[in-house]
Structure formats: C-alpha cells, structure tokens
C-alpha cells in the first residue's frame, strides 16, 4: 500500500489520507514498532496539556513531548507485560477525518485532521476527540512524519482519565 | 485552499469534502464571522426539532431556522462574552464523513454527509451525531452554501442538553 | 450514484468509499431490503463475538454469522412491528472512515474501514465502534458484497447492550 515518493508541491489529500489511515491501522493493531518507523530521526511527537493547547512545549508541561528516542522508549514500555494499564491491550477504533493540506513547503506538507479514538477496556468505553497537526516529509518510499501534534478537544482528561496508549 | 470555481455538472466528492472540511475547521476554531461568509445572501440554515426531522420548518417549531440576517445575529450573540453558555468557548472536534453527491442541478449540487461533533466544556464530554444536507452553489471562488440542514439523530436532546454552538 | 462496473485491478479507494457510503445511508434510513440487495447470493455477513474477534465462525459462537437467506430473514424480522426492540426504529448516524484497499484479487478487492455508529433510542445515546472487513466483487452495475465482517472494538457489549440493528 506504500505510495510512490510524493512530491510536496503536488501531493494530494488522497495520498495523505492513505498514509494517515495506514498509521491509524498500525496503532489500532498495536504494531507500535512499525508505527515508530513512520517517523523521521529528527521527529517530535507532542500532545499538549489539555488546558493549554497552544503553549510552548519547551516551557510548559505537556502531556507528551517526545523526540525519536523517547518515542521508541515509550513504545517499548507500552509493549511490556508490566505496563499494567495496557495488558491486555485496550481495543481501539480510530477515525481520522477532515484531512486538510494547510501548507506546502519545498520538502514538507503541513496537514490537519480531526480524530476520534474509541477505546474499550475491561468493559469501559471511552472516547478521545481532537485535532492532529502533521508535518510530513518525503521518505524513500512514501511519507515520513517529522512532526505530529495531537491536541485533545478536552479541557481536562476526566472523565476519560489517564492516557495509556498512543494518540 | 480555495478550489477554483466548481461546475455543478462536474464537481467531485473530493472538492465538496475540501469545502466541508474548511467549514468544519472554521467552526472548531470559532471563526464564526468567516463561517457566515460561506453562505449565500438568500441562504437558509436549519436544524429541525429532533422529534420531527422531516416536518415543514415554516409550520412547526424548529431547533433552528435561520435566514442570513438571523444567522449573522446568532454569530454575534455567540461571540459575545455575555453568551454565558459559550464563554469560555467549548472545545469541539468535528468529523464530517460519508459525503455523497445526491443531485446535480444546473447551478447547485445537493450533498449529504454524516457528522459527529465531540464537545468538551467544563469537564463534560458530549457528542452530537446526525446528518447534514447541503445545497452548494458556485461562488466567485469556490462553493457557497445556499441551504444547510443539520438533522440530529437524537430523538430528544437529553442527555446532551441545550445546543449553544453551531452544528 | 452507481459507479460503472469497477475492475478489481484498477478500483480506487474513492470508488470503494462511494459504495460504502451508499451502504451506510441505506442502513441509516432503514432501507434494509435494498441493503440486502448489495450482497452476492453466496455472501457471508459476520459479527464475531466481541471477546474472540479472530476465532473461526464455524467453531465458536458469533454475535452474527449469516448467509444470504439468513440475512434476508434478519431484515424481515427487523422490519416487523413485532420486533419490539426496533419499533419505532432507533435513529442512527454512521461514519465509515479510514478506508483502505488491503488486497486486489482477479475479481475482488479486500477492504478495511473503521466505523462508528451513533444510535439514539428513547433518549438513550449509544455508540458502536470497530472495524469493517469487506470482500467486494464486481456486479453488473457497481460493487456487490461477497463478505462483510464487522468487528466491534468492545470487549463486551455492556454498557451498550444487545444489538438490535445492523452493524
């Protein structure tokens, strides 16, 4: 399903969607090692604190603010049986919609999308809704994620509680 | 992101989606003045009473039944600090999906879509689901909305309560 | 809205989406007799038990495991006034997203998608989230469904309870 190398100037929404739907399926299937490989080595992955979505991640507390190494460690941790919160894994179904190409640089496209993650764990059904912001660059075969920012449309995490999976 | 002037006979679902996703982003970002500008001067915007979605809006009570001027007043009201129900603004994430072109007239296309608005306000997470029906006409640069009808798939508003934002 | 006969080797995601959105609209509008006509005569329609989504439907209990005749009977039953659970019909709004073409055979395409069914009945708002898996073949005018599998991302049905409609 990998697209040919996309060109930032001509990439279509449909190509971006193909990539984001692939990413979602890796997350829904807990194929997190493959998911990490979608990111560039200089990537950032960020989920801002829900009460300050526009704040500078270097200055304020973020829910998540990972560079590549931290992202790999997060994945190792989530796949460990000792990660009690996620063993057995929760079942999730992600919908990524409203995909928009916001900007096209020489080698990257900026993209926004809406997401809704439905999650069932031990009989408890939770949902996480918000917006994604991506910078996608052209890798050798298809896109790579240079930046992913997941902004929850929640002003606090209750009633859904702590996030123990990847948005 | 504005498409070239679309032609009702040849417009694609993808072009319609680009427009509807733009509309959603304006609503999610509370850019309501810009949102109103997406409508034609002779527009209607309608959200029927949830227990009578097919009834004639002139004959029965509607949740909302606005012409352009009323729509502008609604926006002014929603942006006022005195609009207690929406200050601070609720955070929303809209997903508009299942977009279908139902009919093509000489100057307009009729479109249906499914929507799900996730809304968090003061720790309370609500969702509003239903169907949109649009008549879109060709403006000078891209589409304009001549008619928008938002039909909630709710037979009453409880447990989500009163709607104090735009569907 | 019926597409020309698609060719499994060249069918696009967009053509598949057109078909799945048509299917969704028939379900949301309770046009179940027309919905059944979307299936081939040798079809299977399956919703595995939510605690064993990967198990062999012939060997274990499934929520649903219908061949064409059983599917027709299910529809007749759901449309009967005596089907108390669904009279009056619940109101639903389906979003089918993240559509992916997984495989292309000589005469069929395998497709996955995420779904979210929002359902309101007697003031109770429930949601059903999960993944669809389809085998679509080329009918005389457009696609037919040879296989549909709806896997709920729920490890048990509570709190949503018994399913009395079609996923």
């Amino acid at each position: 399903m990998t697209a040919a190398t996309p060109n930032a100037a001509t990439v279509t929404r449909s190509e971006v969607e193909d990539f984001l739907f692939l990413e979602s399926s890796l997350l829904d299937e807990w194929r997190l090692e493959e998911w990490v490989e979608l990111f560039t080595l200089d990537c950032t992955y960020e989920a801002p604190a829900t009460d300050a979505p526009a704040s500078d991640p270097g200055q304020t507390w973020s829910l998540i603010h990972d560079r590549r190494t931290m992202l790999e460690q997060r994945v190792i941790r989530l796949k460990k049986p000792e990660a009690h919160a996620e063993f057995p894994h929760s079942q999730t179904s992600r919908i990524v919609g409203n995909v928009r190409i916001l900007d096209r640089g020489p080698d990257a496209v900026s993209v926004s999308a809406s997401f809704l993650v439905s999650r069932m764990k031990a009989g408890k059904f939770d949902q996480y809704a918000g917006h994604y912001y991506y910078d996608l660059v052209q890798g050798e075969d298809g896109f790579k994620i240079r930046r992913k920012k997941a902004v929850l449309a929640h002003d606090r995490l209750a009633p859904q509680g702590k996030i123990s999976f990847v948005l």
Side-chain angles (χ1 to χ4, degrees), chain A residues 79-124:
Chain A
K79 298 284 280 192
K80 273 191 187 162
E82 304 92 86
H84 295 297
E86 282 304 328
F87 263 84
H89 290 317
S90 56
Q91 295 188 62
T92 55
S93 173
R94 284 164 171 78
I95 291 182
V96 177
N98 289 34
V99 174
R100 301 180 66 219
I101 295 180
L102 299 180
D103 195 27
R104 297 165 188 273
D107 69 339
V109 288
S110 297
V111 169
S112 67
S114 296
F115 66 84
L116 183 74
V117 183
S118 298
R119 175 179 180 253
M120 182 64 100
K121 183 169 174 53
K124 195 166 174 304

Tab-separated table of all heavy atoms in Angstrom, chain A residues 79-124:
chain	number	residue	atom	x	y	z
A	79	LYS	N	4.634	-1.950	25.224
A	79	LYS	CA	4.539	-3.343	24.795
A	79	LYS	C	4.942	-4.326	25.899
A	79	LYS	O	4.817	-5.536	25.733
A	79	LYS	CB	5.435	-3.564	23.563
A	79	LYS	CG	5.039	-2.744	22.340
A	79	LYS	CD	3.825	-3.297	21.624
A	79	LYS	CE	4.196	-4.466	20.732
A	79	LYS	NZ	3.101	-4.851	19.812
A	80	LYS	N	5.459	-3.818	27.009
A	80	LYS	CA	5.873	-4.707	28.097
A	80	LYS	C	4.671	-5.213	28.885
A	80	LYS	O	3.775	-4.433	29.204
A	80	LYS	CB	6.777	-3.944	29.084
A	80	LYS	CG	8.239	-3.955	28.701
A	80	LYS	CD	9.055	-3.416	29.867
A	80	LYS	CE	10.512	-3.253	29.476
A	80	LYS	NZ	11.240	-2.376	30.394
A	81	PRO	N	4.708	-6.513	29.253
A	81	PRO	CA	3.603	-7.037	30.082
A	81	PRO	C	3.471	-6.293	31.403
A	81	PRO	O	2.390	-6.236	31.978
A	81	PRO	CB	4.010	-8.500	30.319
A	81	PRO	CG	4.973	-8.827	29.231
A	81	PRO	CD	5.678	-7.550	28.893
A	82	GLU	N	4.554	-5.671	31.868
A	82	GLU	CA	4.463	-4.948	33.133
A	82	GLU	C	3.691	-3.632	32.990
A	82	GLU	O	3.374	-3.006	33.994
A	82	GLU	CB	5.856	-4.630	33.691
A	82	GLU	CG	6.727	-5.855	33.880
A	82	GLU	CD	7.584	-6.123	32.646
A	82	GLU	OE1	8.653	-5.563	32.523
A	82	GLU	OE2	7.123	-6.929	31.796
A	83	ALA	N	3.460	-3.205	31.749
A	83	ALA	CA	2.675	-1.972	31.566
A	83	ALA	C	1.223	-2.300	31.879
A	83	ALA	O	0.391	-2.439	30.998
A	83	ALA	CB	2.832	-1.444	30.146
A	84	HIS	N	0.955	-2.401	33.166
A	84	HIS	CA	-0.334	-2.944	33.602
A	84	HIS	C	-1.512	-2.266	32.918
A	84	HIS	O	-2.483	-2.903	32.545
A	84	HIS	CB	-0.485	-2.781	35.116
A	84	HIS	CG	0.518	-3.575	35.877
A	84	HIS	ND1	0.558	-4.951	35.813
A	84	HIS	CD2	1.525	-3.190	36.700
A	84	HIS	CE1	1.553	-5.384	36.590
A	84	HIS	NE2	2.151	-4.343	37.134
A	85	ALA	N	-1.387	-0.954	32.756
A	85	ALA	CA	-2.524	-0.209	32.228
A	85	ALA	C	-2.903	-0.684	30.833
A	85	ALA	O	-4.029	-0.487	30.401
A	85	ALA	CB	-2.210	1.289	32.202
A	86	GLU	N	-1.968	-1.330	30.126
A	86	GLU	CA	-2.267	-1.747	28.756
A	86	GLU	C	-2.086	-3.244	28.514
A	86	GLU	O	-1.803	-3.669	27.398
A	86	GLU	CB	-1.449	-0.922	27.759
A	86	GLU	CG	-2.026	0.468	27.526
A	86	GLU	CD	-3.482	0.434	27.059
A	86	GLU	OE1	-3.884	-0.513	26.362
A	86	GLU	OE2	-4.223	1.363	27.414
A	87	PHE	N	-2.178	-4.070	29.576
A	87	PHE	CA	-2.194	-5.517	29.383
A	87	PHE	C	-3.400	-6.115	30.062
A	87	PHE	O	-3.495	-6.022	31.284
A	87	PHE	CB	-0.889	-6.149	29.881
A	87	PHE	CG	0.065	-6.350	28.761
A	87	PHE	CD1	0.879	-5.321	28.340
A	87	PHE	CD2	0.100	-7.558	28.076
A	87	PHE	CE1	1.746	-5.478	27.286
A	87	PHE	CE2	0.968	-7.729	27.011
A	87	PHE	CZ	1.801	-6.687	26.613
A	88	PRO	N	-4.287	-6.778	29.358
A	88	PRO	CA	-4.265	-6.879	27.899
A	88	PRO	C	-4.515	-5.518	27.247
A	88	PRO	O	-5.058	-4.623	27.876
A	88	PRO	CB	-5.411	-7.848	27.595
A	88	PRO	CG	-6.346	-7.685	28.754
A	88	PRO	CD	-5.481	-7.395	29.944
A	89	HIS	N	-4.110	-5.411	25.992
A	89	HIS	CA	-4.277	-4.141	25.292
A	89	HIS	C	-5.741	-3.749	25.242
A	89	HIS	O	-6.618	-4.592	25.066
A	89	HIS	CB	-3.775	-4.263	23.853
A	89	HIS	CG	-2.295	-4.406	23.769
A	89	HIS	ND1	-1.433	-3.661	24.536
A	89	HIS	CD2	-1.521	-5.214	23.017
A	89	HIS	CE1	-0.186	-4.004	24.246
A	89	HIS	NE2	-0.198	-4.943	23.340
A	90	SER	N	-5.973	-2.462	25.339
A	90	SER	CA	-7.310	-1.976	25.061
A	90	SER	C	-7.584	-2.175	23.571
A	90	SER	O	-6.666	-2.266	22.760
A	90	SER	CB	-7.423	-0.496	25.438
A	90	SER	OG	-6.448	0.261	24.768
A	91	GLN	N	-8.844	-2.275	23.237
A	91	GLN	CA	-9.247	-2.339	21.831
A	91	GLN	C	-9.640	-0.931	21.391
A	91	GLN	O	-10.391	-0.260	22.079
A	91	GLN	CB	-10.416	-3.288	21.653
A	91	GLN	CG	-10.057	-4.732	21.971
A	91	GLN	CD	-11.182	-5.677	21.608
A	91	GLN	OE1	-11.564	-5.790	20.449
A	91	GLN	NE2	-11.727	-6.346	22.597
A	92	THR	N	-9.115	-0.523	20.265
A	92	THR	CA	-9.396	0.832	19.795
A	92	THR	C	-9.867	0.810	18.348
A	92	THR	O	-9.552	-0.093	17.582
A	92	THR	CB	-8.131	1.722	19.874
A	92	THR	OG1	-7.073	1.096	19.140
A	92	THR	CG2	-7.693	1.939	21.313
A	93	SER	N	-10.639	1.809	18.028
A	93	SER	CA	-11.024	2.050	16.640
A	93	SER	C	-10.884	3.541	16.391
A	93	SER	O	-11.567	4.354	17.008
A	93	SER	CB	-12.463	1.598	16.396
A	93	SER	OG	-12.883	1.984	15.095
A	94	ARG	N	-9.965	3.875	15.529
A	94	ARG	CA	-9.693	5.282	15.239
A	94	ARG	C	-10.405	5.722	13.964
A	94	ARG	O	-10.411	4.986	12.973
A	94	ARG	CB	-8.190	5.485	15.022
A	94	ARG	CG	-7.384	5.490	16.284
A	94	ARG	CD	-5.917	5.293	16.005
A	94	ARG	NE	-5.116	5.510	17.199
A	94	ARG	CZ	-4.986	4.620	18.192
A	94	ARG	NH1	-5.600	3.449	18.127
A	94	ARG	NH2	-4.245	4.902	19.250
A	95	ILE	N	-10.947	6.915	14.002
A	95	ILE	CA	-11.394	7.558	12.769
A	95	ILE	C	-10.632	8.862	12.620
A	95	ILE	O	-10.637	9.703	13.520
A	95	ILE	CB	-12.916	7.799	12.759
A	95	ILE	CG1	-13.640	6.445	12.660
A	95	ILE	CG2	-13.311	8.696	11.590
A	95	ILE	CD1	-15.138	6.529	12.584
A	96	VAL	N	-9.926	8.963	11.500
A	96	VAL	CA	-9.199	10.194	11.159
A	96	VAL	C	-9.925	10.802	9.980
A	96	VAL	O	-10.066	10.149	8.932
A	96	VAL	CB	-7.733	9.887	10.795
A	96	VAL	CG1	-7.011	11.157	10.383
A	96	VAL	CG2	-7.023	9.231	11.974
A	97	GLY	N	-10.425	11.991	10.163
A	97	GLY	CA	-11.222	12.602	9.106
A	97	GLY	C	-10.883	14.063	8.916
A	97	GLY	O	-9.959	14.585	9.543
A	98	ASN	N	-11.638	14.717	8.061
A	98	ASN	CA	-11.469	16.154	7.822
A	98	ASN	C	-10.024	16.507	7.520
A	98	ASN	O	-9.493	17.514	8.009
A	98	ASN	CB	-11.957	16.957	9.042
A	98	ASN	CG	-13.461	16.926	9.205
A	98	ASN	OD1	-14.097	15.930	8.899
A	98	ASN	ND2	-14.034	18.019	9.682
A	99	VAL	N	-9.350	15.682	6.725
A	99	VAL	CA	-7.934	15.905	6.409
A	99	VAL	C	-7.788	17.123	5.495
A	99	VAL	O	-8.505	17.244	4.493
A	99	VAL	CB	-7.321	14.652	5.741
A	99	VAL	CG1	-5.894	14.922	5.282
A	99	VAL	CG2	-7.366	13.473	6.710
A	100	ARG	N	-6.911	18.029	5.862
A	100	ARG	CA	-6.681	19.246	5.063
A	100	ARG	C	-5.178	19.491	4.901
A	100	ARG	O	-4.438	19.386	5.876
A	100	ARG	CB	-7.312	20.465	5.747
A	100	ARG	CG	-8.817	20.323	5.958
A	100	ARG	CD	-9.382	21.556	6.632
A	100	ARG	NE	-9.275	22.711	5.777
A	100	ARG	CZ	-8.968	23.940	6.199
A	100	ARG	NH1	-8.739	24.167	7.480
A	100	ARG	NH2	-8.881	24.933	5.349
A	101	ILE	N	-4.784	19.836	3.704
A	101	ILE	CA	-3.400	20.264	3.469
A	101	ILE	C	-3.358	21.761	3.714
A	101	ILE	O	-4.016	22.531	3.014
A	101	ILE	CB	-2.946	19.911	2.039
A	101	ILE	CG1	-2.914	18.381	1.883
A	101	ILE	CG2	-1.569	20.510	1.761
A	101	ILE	CD1	-2.473	17.900	0.510
A	102	LEU	N	-2.617	22.156	4.763
A	102	LEU	CA	-2.608	23.565	5.169
A	102	LEU	C	-1.505	24.351	4.478
A	102	LEU	O	-1.646	25.539	4.216
A	102	LEU	CB	-2.413	23.673	6.689
A	102	LEU	CG	-3.489	23.022	7.550
A	102	LEU	CD1	-3.170	23.219	9.024
A	102	LEU	CD2	-4.869	23.598	7.225
A	103	ASP	N	-0.389	23.680	4.214
A	103	ASP	CA	0.749	24.393	3.652
A	103	ASP	C	1.652	23.391	2.943
A	103	ASP	O	1.720	22.219	3.322
A	103	ASP	CB	1.528	25.087	4.779
A	103	ASP	CG	2.488	26.133	4.231
A	103	ASP	OD1	2.212	26.674	3.144
A	103	ASP	OD2	3.502	26.383	4.897
A	104	ARG	N	2.344	23.887	1.916
A	104	ARG	CA	3.289	23.065	1.170
A	104	ARG	C	4.634	23.773	1.155
A	104	ARG	O	4.762	24.856	0.612
A	104	ARG	CB	2.814	22.890	-0.273
A	104	ARG	CG	1.498	22.164	-0.420
A	104	ARG	CD	0.929	22.359	-1.827
A	104	ARG	NE	-0.417	21.819	-1.935
A	104	ARG	CZ	-0.693	20.556	-2.240
A	104	ARG	NH1	0.297	19.709	-2.476
A	104	ARG	NH2	-1.926	20.112	-2.307
A	105	GLY	N	5.605	23.169	1.785
A	105	GLY	CA	6.958	23.721	1.734
A	105	GLY	C	7.740	23.025	0.643
A	105	GLY	O	7.190	22.208	-0.090
A	106	PRO	N	9.047	23.333	0.525
A	106	PRO	CA	9.845	22.694	-0.521
A	106	PRO	C	9.934	21.174	-0.329
A	106	PRO	O	9.945	20.429	-1.297
A	106	PRO	CB	11.219	23.349	-0.381
A	106	PRO	CG	11.227	24.019	0.950
A	106	PRO	CD	9.811	24.327	1.298
A	107	ASP	N	9.978	20.719	0.927
A	107	ASP	CA	10.119	19.274	1.133
A	107	ASP	C	9.103	18.707	2.108
A	107	ASP	O	9.194	17.535	2.476
A	107	ASP	CB	11.531	18.939	1.614
A	107	ASP	CG	11.757	19.467	3.031
A	107	ASP	OD1	11.026	20.398	3.451
A	107	ASP	OD2	12.658	18.947	3.711
A	108	ALA	N	8.142	19.536	2.553
A	108	ALA	CA	7.204	19.040	3.558
A	108	ALA	C	5.812	19.603	3.305
A	108	ALA	O	5.659	20.681	2.729
A	108	ALA	CB	7.663	19.434	4.963
A	109	VAL	N	4.817	18.864	3.734
A	109	VAL	CA	3.449	19.376	3.732
A	109	VAL	C	2.945	19.422	5.165
A	109	VAL	O	3.239	18.531	5.969
A	109	VAL	CB	2.483	18.523	2.875
A	109	VAL	CG1	2.750	18.706	1.396
A	109	VAL	CG2	2.538	17.057	3.265
A	110	SER	N	2.218	20.484	5.478
A	110	SER	CA	1.574	20.612	6.786
A	110	SER	C	0.117	20.223	6.624
A	110	SER	O	-0.560	20.706	5.716
A	110	SER	CB	1.678	22.045	7.293
A	110	SER	OG	3.026	22.392	7.489
A	111	VAL	N	-0.342	19.397	7.535
A	111	VAL	CA	-1.647	18.778	7.405
A	111	VAL	C	-2.382	18.882	8.730
A	111	VAL	O	-1.763	18.775	9.793
A	111	VAL	CB	-1.461	17.282	7.036
A	111	VAL	CG1	-2.754	16.518	7.153
A	111	VAL	CG2	-0.845	17.152	5.649
A	112	SER	N	-3.685	19.110	8.681
A	112	SER	CA	-4.504	18.987	9.886
A	112	SER	C	-5.570	17.928	9.649
A	112	SER	O	-5.912	17.610	8.510
A	112	SER	CB	-5.153	20.326	10.252
A	112	SER	OG	-6.103	20.690	9.272
A	113	ALA	N	-6.076	17.385	10.738
A	113	ALA	CA	-7.121	16.369	10.653
A	113	ALA	C	-7.879	16.362	11.973
A	113	ALA	O	-7.392	16.866	12.994
A	113	ALA	CB	-6.537	14.994	10.379
A	114	SER	N	-9.072	15.809	11.950
A	114	SER	CA	-9.813	15.542	13.185
A	114	SER	C	-9.656	14.063	13.516
A	114	SER	O	-9.560	13.231	12.621
A	114	SER	CB	-11.311	15.824	12.997
A	114	SER	OG	-11.542	17.185	12.719
A	115	PHE	N	-9.610	13.763	14.814
A	115	PHE	CA	-9.570	12.339	15.170
A	115	PHE	C	-10.607	12.043	16.244
A	115	PHE	O	-11.002	12.915	17.017
A	115	PHE	CB	-8.179	11.898	15.648
A	115	PHE	CG	-7.726	12.516	16.952
A	115	PHE	CD1	-8.105	11.962	18.180
A	115	PHE	CD2	-6.900	13.617	16.967
A	115	PHE	CE1	-7.683	12.513	19.384
A	115	PHE	CE2	-6.473	14.180	18.155
A	115	PHE	CZ	-6.861	13.638	19.372
A	116	LEU	N	-11.019	10.785	16.228
A	116	LEU	CA	-11.844	10.260	17.304
A	116	LEU	C	-11.362	8.841	17.566
A	116	LEU	O	-11.433	7.978	16.688
A	116	LEU	CB	-13.321	10.245	16.926
A	116	LEU	CG	-14.219	9.758	18.072
A	116	LEU	CD1	-14.362	10.829	19.150
A	116	LEU	CD2	-15.594	9.380	17.545
A	117	VAL	N	-10.815	8.643	18.748
A	117	VAL	CA	-10.373	7.316	19.150
A	117	VAL	C	-11.425	6.746	20.098
A	117	VAL	O	-11.700	7.328	21.146
A	117	VAL	CB	-9.002	7.357	19.863
A	117	VAL	CG1	-8.534	5.942	20.199
A	117	VAL	CG2	-7.966	8.073	19.010
A	118	SER	N	-12.028	5.641	19.698
A	118	SER	CA	-12.952	4.922	20.583
A	118	SER	C	-12.165	3.785	21.205
A	118	SER	O	-11.462	3.055	20.514
A	118	SER	CB	-14.140	4.351	19.790
A	118	SER	OG	-14.875	5.387	19.199
A	119	ARG	N	-12.293	3.627	22.492
A	119	ARG	CA	-11.439	2.689	23.204
A	119	ARG	C	-12.268	1.930	24.227
A	119	ARG	O	-13.019	2.529	24.998
A	119	ARG	CB	-10.344	3.472	23.923
A	119	ARG	CG	-9.450	2.628	24.814
A	119	ARG	CD	-8.433	3.549	25.425
A	119	ARG	NE	-7.517	2.861	26.292
A	119	ARG	CZ	-7.522	2.953	27.629
A	119	ARG	NH1	-8.413	3.695	28.229
A	119	ARG	NH2	-6.639	2.295	28.331
A	120	MET	N	-12.127	0.622	24.191
A	120	MET	CA	-12.834	-0.220	25.147
A	120	MET	C	-11.804	-1.001	25.927
A	120	MET	O	-10.914	-1.622	25.350
A	120	MET	CB	-13.767	-1.160	24.393
A	120	MET	CG	-14.607	-2.061	25.275
A	120	MET	SD	-15.809	-1.206	26.357
A	120	MET	CE	-17.328	-1.411	25.415
A	121	LYS	N	-11.919	-0.946	27.221
A	121	LYS	CA	-11.012	-1.702	28.071
A	121	LYS	C	-11.769	-2.142	29.303
A	121	LYS	O	-12.321	-1.320	30.011
A	121	LYS	CB	-9.803	-0.839	28.460
A	121	LYS	CG	-8.803	-1.628	29.282
A	121	LYS	CD	-7.503	-0.885	29.438
A	121	LYS	CE	-6.631	-1.677	30.392
A	121	LYS	NZ	-6.479	-3.092	29.987
A	122	ALA	N	-11.792	-3.460	29.501
A	122	ALA	CA	-12.451	-4.023	30.686
A	122	ALA	C	-13.873	-3.476	30.831
A	122	ALA	O	-14.297	-3.060	31.914
A	122	ALA	CB	-11.626	-3.738	31.935
A	123	GLY	N	-14.567	-3.418	29.709
A	123	GLY	CA	-15.968	-3.034	29.753
A	123	GLY	C	-16.212	-1.543	29.819
A	123	GLY	O	-17.346	-1.091	29.851
A	124	LYS	N	-15.144	-0.751	29.824
A	124	LYS	CA	-15.285	0.700	29.919
A	124	LYS	C	-15.032	1.296	28.543
A	124	LYS	O	-13.997	1.054	27.933
A	124	LYS	CB	-14.282	1.231	30.937
A	124	LYS	CG	-14.554	2.650	31.388
A	124	LYS	CD	-13.746	3.001	32.644
A	124	LYS	CE	-13.910	4.466	33.013
A	124	LYS	NZ	-13.546	5.386	31.913
